[in-house]
Amino acid sequence: MPVPPLLVLHGVSKRFGAVQALADVDLEIRAGEIVALMGDNGAGKSTLVKVIAGVGPADEGVIEWEGRPVRVRRPDDAHALGIATVYQDLALCDNLDVVGNLFLGREIRRAGLLDEVEMERRTRDLLQSLSIRVPDLRARVATLSGGQRQTVALSRSLIGQPRLLLLDEPTASLGVQQTSRFLDLVEMLRDRGLGVLLISHNMGDVKAVADRVAVLHLGRNNGVFDVGTTSQEQIISSITGVTSHPAMHRRTPAAGRDER
């Protein structure tokens, strides 16, 4: 019996007043796969990420997790499923050190006191397992480089051992060398079995690591492409709306539209 995808969206729609941000969007992500989500400004990429992360629930549509319909109406719902998100602004606390940022909101306590030794040990073990080098775990995040800050944000998302990682424009503020190292890390996570949704404007990044590209245009699906067999020109044509592609084949879930 085939293993179901980690996440499937069916007919997801989201409206803000008179603006239809998403209309009947489908998406599928499997374990051990990097799916790039691309689209021009205003295409609905960030809105879709917020729907999956429980920050802005869908108005209509069905979300399936491992083949069963689920409700994702709050970030806690997403976390409970195993979905973690790294937003473009990273949401780090500059005045805290690396350890403090990784365990912010999930501090380890012993006898009512913060167990700083154990949190530092776990931080060091996690960073070493990811081959991430941070000179000083007790350095304030404000003193770190852009690449180091990005890896701290990514590491924090992995504390809860998620199964699906959402990355919103992770390399937008990084230099060439920092971007290369970060993409190597993302590939490592894919190879360890995580599903990854990579939101990016950078075609080079997408071609380097993604397995498939899902394109949004004006809040709607406009194609899903295999990276290895699709030209850059074809993808760009879909992003700009020059070419139109049929929506993903939609299966009608037996449970109906429980995200309404």
Side-chain angles (χ1 to χ4, degrees), residues 76-119:
D76 285 349
D77 296 334
H79 294 160
L81 292 172
I83 301 172
T85 309
V86 179
Y87 294 101
Q88 189 171 358
D89 64 3
L90 303 184
L92 296 173
C93 293
D94 286 347
N95 62 318
L96 296 181
D97 58 26
V98 175
V99 176
N101 269 278
L102 259 64
F103 284 92
L104 185 62
R106 58 184 82 185
E107 292 84 358
I108 299 174
R109 298 178 183 275
R110 179 175 295 178
L113 301 175
L114 291 179
D115 192 341
E116 297 284 359
V117 173
E118 178 62 15
M119 288 190 289

Side-chain angles (χ1 to χ4, degrees), residues 85-173:
T85 309
V86 179
Y87 294 101
Q88 189 171 358
D89 64 3
L90 303 184
L92 296 173
C93 293
D94 286 347
N95 62 318
L96 296 181
D97 58 26
V98 175
V99 176
N101 269 278
L102 259 64
F103 284 92
L104 185 62
R106 58 184 82 185
E107 292 84 358
I108 299 174
R109 298 178 183 275
R110 179 175 295 178
L113 301 175
L114 291 179
D115 192 341
E116 297 284 359
V117 173
E118 178 62 15
M119 288 190 289
E120 183 170 329
R121 184 191 67 79
R122 293 192 188 185
T123 297
R124 183 177 295 104
D125 289 349
L126 175 61
L127 296 185
Q128 287 179 348
S129 73
L130 298 172
S131 300
I132 294 175
R133 295 180 181 179
V134 176
D136 182 3
L137 297 183
R138 290 302 179 178
R140 289 192 304 122
V141 165
T143 66
L144 302 181
S145 69
Q148 290 170 334
R149 289 167 60 86
Q150 185 65 261
T151 54
V152 169
L154 179 62
S155 301
R156 182 180 61 186
S157 72
L158 299 175
I159 286 289
Q161 298 183 322
R163 301 185 60 199
L164 174 62
L165 192 59
L166 312 179
L167 302 176
D168 190 1
E169 298 284 358
T171 64
S173 61

Side-chain angles (χ1 to χ4, degrees), residues 139-226:
R140 289 192 304 122
V141 165
T143 66
L144 302 181
S145 69
Q148 290 170 334
R149 289 167 60 86
Q150 185 65 261
T151 54
V152 169
L154 179 62
S155 301
R156 182 180 61 186
S157 72
L158 299 175
I159 286 289
Q161 298 183 322
R163 301 185 60 199
L164 174 62
L165 192 59
L166 312 179
L167 302 176
D168 190 1
E169 298 284 358
T171 64
S173 61
L174 303 184
V176 174
Q177 188 174 25
Q178 292 174 330
T179 294
S180 177
R181 289 175 179 171
F182 185 81
L183 294 179
D184 286 345
L185 177 56
V186 174
E187 285 190 299
M188 179 193 302
L189 295 174
R190 186 263 312 277
D191 294 343
R192 292 183 180 183
L194 269 72
V196 179
L197 182 64
L198 172 68
I199 296 85
S200 180
H201 280 96
N202 191 309
M203 188 64 69
D205 292 357
V206 169
K207 282 287 191 178
V209 300
D211 300 294
R212 293 186 296 125
V213 179
V215 174
L216 293 181
H217 179 64
L218 300 178
R220 296 180 180 273
N221 289 114
N222 200 31
V224 179
F225 307 95
D226 179 85

